[in-house]
Amino acid sequence: MLDVPGHSPGHVVYVVRTAPPTVFGGDVLFRGSIGRTDFPGGDLDQLLGGIRAKLWPLPDGTVVYPGHGPVTTVGEEKRTNPFLSGD
């Protein structure tokens, strides 16, 4: 379990480190997007920092199951996510 607040206080993601590594991310990272931060306690900088610090170190092939929407991978989001470009 990794603490990745920003969408909401206390938000966590679950990581399964077997092959392939898998993240159950809730509303943190989506294919081509990120979670909303306009709710009470939301914080864009905190969310982006948490993604960079906690998810980016995972292998590029790590499968990400967001809270809704299509499945993606850490590597795909590093390369293409417009909210996190330049990482």
Side-chain angles (χ1 to χ4, degrees):
M1 182 172 65
L2 302 174
D3 181 37
V4 187
H7 168 65
S8 61
H11 193 288
V12 297
V13 301
Y14 292 92
V15 180
V16 179
R17 296 184 188 269
T18 58
T22 304
V23 169
F24 296 94
D27 288 352
V28 168
L29 182 66
F30 299 103
R31 183 185 287 174
S33 192
I34 58 171
R36 292 176 55 180
T37 58
D38 60 332
F39 296 119
D43 185 299
L44 178 62
D45 291 334
Q46 191 175 46
L47 179 62
L48 295 175
I51 292 169
R52 290 179 177 115
K54 305 287 179 79
L55 300 183
W56 274 194
L58 297 171
D60 283 353
T62 301
V63 178
V64 178
Y65 289 96
H68 45 90
V71 174
T72 189
T73 66
V74 166
E76 181 68 18
E77 296 313 307
K78 283 181 187 177
R79 288 187 299 276
T80 66
N81 193 305
F83 292 91
L84 295 149
S85 61
D87 289 350

